[in-house]
Amino acid sequence: MTTKQRHLIPDAIHTNGATPNPWWANAVVYQIYPRSFQDSNNDGFGDLKGIASRLGYLADLGIDAIWLSPVYRSPQDDNGYDISDYRDIDPMFGTLDDMDALLAEAHSYGIKIVMDLVVNHTSDEHAWFQSSRNPDSDHADWYWWRPARTGCVPGTPGAEPNQWGGSFGGSAWQYDDRRGEYYLHTFSKKQPDLNWENPEVRKAVYEMMNWWLDRGVDGFRMDVITLISKQIDANGRLPGEEHGLIADEPAGEEGYSSPWPFSMDGPRLDEFLQEMRREVFEGRQGYLTVGEGQGISPKRNEHITNPANGELDMLFLFDHVGVDQNGAKWNMENLQLPKLKRAMIEQQQAVATSGWASLYFNNHDQPRALSRWGDTSTPELRVKSAKALALLLHMHKGTPYIYQGEEIGMTNAGFTKLEQYRDLESINAYHQRVDSAHVQSGESMMRSLAAVSRDNSRTPMQWDGTTYAGFMSADAESSPWLQVNANKNEINAAAQMHDPASVFDFYRRLIELRHTDDVVAAGDFRAVDVSDPHVFAFLRSVGERRILVVGNVSSSVAPIGDETHDLLKGFTAASQVLIANEDIESIAQHVQANELAPWSAFVCEI
């Protein structure tokens, strides 16, 4: 493991409740989606050697750690989140030697590598699952196997153990002819859920995690980790099963009930996470654990991330990235800024005295926030809104996560045809909602995909303006696995790295400010003018020092709220800490007029 030589927050300044303060308290993490980052051999897929070739770029950006989406051996049904061998690298990405080389090279730059860990489920091609298909094997109870309902023909509609639906469409149960029973898959039918009630499953997972830490990785981002504990009755039956004691939820518009009320933040989650901490991380230093926190409230986040409870360092919460969705993911609404503010404020308040927050707008499962909440109608507004959104996120207390391409202002894919998509969730959702359940028209669903499909964030990284955006050679015989965004000529890293007015340079300054300013990294948080529909403002403070963060999240001139206006009295050029757009004189003039220019965003001392 590596320790970057830079400023650490003094222990006299409180962070998450631990002593000494952890290294990640003023760090910034960069997520890499390997198949879309850099292709070194022109086969159309990014790989580990490609990532290694771009470490200098990441070091120049200033990030402290890489979150590496899965590179394990996999059939790639869900782009690597279906793992068939935890202790090998998929040939698409390279070899174990390539992984060792990447670790060594990253560490030489002072960059840590955090691997994605997917242990709620495996691939159906994993040896554990193949063995479990034999009811007499040692792995027979490693997954959630159940017989067909009494009186029903196995494998036919209605014979499933309960009426749960899978996240990628259809039933959450798949019939297996060999075993003669159904297995549970919360996601794809090729992603059977592991049975964490079985201690042998947990032991095998912990052994694998220790193997990777011993190899040199610096921690894990834990995919859907808050789903590992399912609610069962005294007889081990899931809700809705025959003769079970727990009733299921009613079916929804697609004809299935949701497993989420019974599998998110389940009854043994704390126990399992505490056991993991003891068996894997106890006695180790310098690692990071962050979990994907479906169903976790800000209050529960405080408990899970409080170091006194021995569970995880931080969690990704979902409430703030769902504020513009009405029920189903595919039912989008225009953003109402106070909803976003209240969600983020609640997250901040919950960890005011203990625990920690993960700060993100973007990742491989979310559309590009710039297209979602910014303004891409003109190049000028695109750049301004990219910077403003970045400033507002990074000035919160917690650890910021940057998703590849976010730092140059990449946008949604702009796809218009279903055949352009590769994402399993998107394709299945279209067929489920349009062709099977008839709850959405084809035209409406295509608009939904264009807005929120996961493929929006998965288009190849835009390094330059060449044919394939520098992701692979312009004269390569293959083409990228997913179509390059058409705006690669206008938005790319090469055009921004040496431009002081670029989105890239602004992200570099945001990262440096978190490294060097203890108020930004660990200061107390207080919201200001929460109901303001256009301006997002809040205070950060340590002792007597206070900074005010202000941003107009709109493309119109916006009035300044009363409390924000009072705090800005006496604002001068000497007050500035960081400005996203305009110059200090222009901001001062607008403040004097009690207004903010479109996408004006700045941080000032008060």
Side-chain angles (χ1 to χ4, degrees), residues 319-576:
D319 45 347
H320 70 292
V321 291
V323 294
D324 55 358
Q325 295 169 347
N326 182 8
K329 168 180 179 176
W330 312 105
N331 296 329
M332 298 295 295
E333 301 177 334
N334 291 330
L335 174 66
Q336 297 180 37
L337 183 62
K339 286 186 176 181
L340 177 63
K341 288 196 280 188
R342 290 187 181 102
M344 298 186 71
I345 290 165
E346 188 176 4
Q347 292 180 17
Q348 292 284 293
Q349 291 174 339
V351 295
T353 58
S354 61
W356 200 245
S358 296
L359 308 176
Y360 77 99
F361 286 157
N362 297 269
N363 62 35
H364 67 293
D365 283 335
Q366 299 292 330
R368 294 284 182 180
L370 177 54
S371 295
R372 184 178 189 175
W373 295 330
D375 188 338
T376 60
S377 62
T378 69
E380 179 185 14
L381 287 172
R382 170 173 50 78
V383 171
K384 284 187 173 182
S385 57
K387 291 180 182 179
L389 290 171
L391 181 142
L392 290 170
L393 179 74
H394 281 247
M395 289 302 103
H396 281 75
K397 180 180 178 179
T399 297
Y401 287 76
I402 298 171
Y403 178 73
Q404 64 183 46
E406 179 183 346
E407 77 282 4
I408 58 172
M410 283 181 62
T411 65
N412 276 358
F415 294 159
T416 58
K417 300 176 182 178
L418 186 62
E419 53 265 32
Q420 291 176 287
Y421 290 92
R422 298 291 179 268
D423 174 38
L424 181 68
E425 179 193 46
S426 299
I427 296 168
N428 286 0
Y430 181 94
H431 293 306
Q432 176 69 29
R433 296 180 65 80
V434 176
D435 300 333
S436 298
H438 307 293
V439 297
Q440 201 165 351
S441 69
E443 294 79 8
S444 171
M445 191 62 190
M446 288 305 299
R447 289 194 295 271
S448 296
L449 293 178
V452 294
S453 168
R454 300 190 302 180
D455 275 345
N456 283 307
S457 61
R458 299 178 180 185
T459 56
M461 176 68 182
Q462 291 163 215
W463 296 105
D464 57 40
T466 57
T467 303
Y468 298 124
F471 168 71
M472 56 193 298
S473 298
D475 58 356
E477 295 183 4
S478 301
S479 56
W481 73 278
L482 186 64
Q483 184 177 320
V484 173
N485 197 310
N487 60 22
K488 61 180 174 60
N489 293 334
E490 293 77 40
I491 304 172
N492 63 71
Q496 296 189 32
M497 288 183 65
H498 304 293
D499 178 1
S502 67
V503 176
F504 176 87
D505 190 75
F506 187 70
Y507 268 84
R508 186 158 46 189
R509 285 187 282 152
L510 283 171
I511 295 169
E512 180 62 20
L513 192 60
R514 181 162 297 269
H515 288 167
T516 57
D517 193 317
D518 292 335
V519 177
V520 171
D524 293 337
F525 175 93
R526 182 168 74 82
V528 177
D529 289 323
V530 177
S531 298
D532 191 307
H534 303 297
V535 178
F536 198 159
F538 51 91
L539 282 166
R540 303 291 309 282
S541 62
V542 169
E544 297 299 315
R545 183 166 177 248
R546 298 195 305 170
I547 62 173
L548 178 66
V549 181
V550 182
N552 177 6
V553 188
S554 76
S555 298
S556 303
V557 173
I560 299 174
D562 292 341
E563 189 176 3
T564 305
H565 179 262
D566 288 343
L567 290 167
L568 283 170
K569 288 179 179 177
F571 176 83
T572 67
S575 305
Q576 68 167 308

Side-chain angles (χ1 to χ4, degrees), residues 251-263:
E253 63 178 1
E254 296 180 14
Y256 300 97
S257 63
S258 172
W260 302 134
F262 310 105
S263 57

Side-chain angles (χ1 to χ4, degrees), residues 2 6 11 16 74 77 120 129 135 155-156 190 232 248 250 288 294 327 366 431 440 465 492 494 532 578 606:
T2 183
R6 57 167 174 74
D11 290 338
N16 68 329
S74 166
D77 180 62
N120 174 72
F129 182 79
T156 62
K190 289 185 66 63
I232 55 177
D248 197 0
L288 168 65
Q294 284 94 335
Q366 299 292 330
H431 293 306
Q440 201 165 351
N492 63 71
D532 191 307
L578 184 67
I606 60 171

